């Protein structure tokens, strides 16, 4: 199994790799992104996992996931120091992001285990202090999101899902469900589609879990006084409506 680490923090990546050796992997830390784009632009075999430094990419200019889709060169990719997820939720967040951007990509169980090990490594007291980007989630700046086309759920009344998450203190799994329904606003999502959003310990959720989290999401949305949020259920699945 081959993993490429692209980072400005080679020493940090080497410490993370030390935690992964039990998986019998080959991990290569690299400081330049040139090799990454060379791999995508060539017929070279893709690694089993890309681990990327968030600070290497100008996210308001380049959506790396879209670039990979356009090149038809898709492999699991995570930003190990993404500042958005909070402690204890990073692996689930990475899996959610992969499911969002690479629909149909099958993430092997071994890769999932490696993601959880990376989470434990970067949140450890020996490594975390040396990763400056990692921090608690902060309110999202609406203007920053609107600069990137189609990367923010477009809801009526200019409602921002990230502001709602912050105001209501939604836990990650509930918010993942809310965000997925928002991306598909006023359209039904089947229970099977939502099972991959409500990840339970990195495994696809059951129908019962989806129903339970829909109920939890409804209870959060009832707290909003500015507009009425409803999640409609039918034989086609669930859809979010706002009025």
């Amino acid at each position: 199994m081959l993993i490429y680490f692209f980072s400005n923090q080679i020493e940090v990546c080497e410490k993370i790799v030390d935690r992964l050796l039990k998986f019998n992997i080959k991990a290569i830390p690299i400081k330049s992104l040139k090799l990454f784009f060379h791999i995508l632009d060539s017929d070279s075999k893709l690694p089993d996992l890309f681990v990327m430094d968030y600070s290497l990419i100008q996210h308001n200019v380049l959506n790396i996931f879209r670039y990979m889709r356009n090149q038809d060169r898709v492999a699991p990719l995570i930003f190990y120091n993404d500042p958005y997820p909070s402690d204890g939720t990073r692996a689930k967040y990475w899996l959610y992001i992969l499911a969002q951007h690479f629909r149909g990509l099958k993430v092997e169980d071994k890769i999932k285990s490696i993601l959880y090990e990376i989470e434990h490594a970067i949140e450890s007291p020996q490594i975390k202090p040396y990763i400056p980007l990692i921090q608690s989630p902060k309110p999202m700046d609406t203007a920053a999101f609107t600069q990137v086309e189609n990367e923010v759920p477009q809801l009526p009344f200019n409602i921002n899902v990230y502001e709602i998450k912050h105001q209501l203190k939604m836990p990650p799994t509930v918010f993942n469900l809310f965000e997925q329904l928002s991306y598909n606003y006023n359209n039904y999502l089947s229970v099977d589609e939502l099972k991959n959003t409500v990840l339970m310990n990195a495994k696809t959720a059951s129908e019962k879990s989806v129903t339970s989290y829909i109920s939890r999401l409804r209870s959060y949305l009832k707290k909003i006084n500015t507009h009425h949020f409803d999640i409609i259920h039918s034989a086609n699945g669930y859809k979010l409506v706002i009025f």
Side-chain angles (χ1 to χ4, degrees), residues 136-227:
S136 299
K138 296 180 179 179
M140 295 298 157
D141 180 0
T142 306
F145 275 93
T146 53
Q147 291 173 3
V148 185
E149 183 181 1
N150 297 328
E151 290 306 308
V152 180
Q154 300 299 311
L155 293 179
F157 314 112
N158 293 320
I159 291 170
N160 187 300
V161 295
Y162 303 100
E163 290 178 357
I164 290 176
K165 175 189 184 293
H166 176 67
Q167 291 164 5
L168 301 183
K169 295 181 172 60
M170 279 187 186
T173 305
V174 174
F175 176 69
N176 290 349
L177 186 59
F178 178 42
E179 189 177 37
Q180 179 76 325
L181 289 167
S182 299
Y183 270 113
N184 297 274
Y185 178 72
N186 209 28
N187 292 309
Y188 282 103
L189 285 175
S190 69
V191 173
D192 283 340
E193 288 175 298
L194 293 174
K195 282 180 182 178
N196 292 319
T197 300
V198 183
L199 292 167
M200 308 297 292
N201 298 319
K203 296 180 180 178
T204 302
S206 65
E207 184 173 341
K208 186 176 179 181
S209 296
V210 171
T211 304
S212 172
Y213 273 92
I214 287 285
S215 177
R216 290 183 63 186
L217 176 57
R218 281 191 177 115
S219 67
Y220 275 94
L221 297 179
K222 283 179 182 176
K223 299 175 184 178
I224 301 173
N225 345 357
T226 51
H227 299 90

Side-chain angles (χ1 to χ4, degrees), residues 54 79-85 90 93-94 97 133-135:
Y54 192 85
F79 291 101
Y80 71 90
N81 55 351
D82 189 325
Y84 181 69
R90 300 181 196 282
Y93 175 80
W94 295 328
I97 290 297
L133 280 177
I134 290 183
Q135 54 191 300

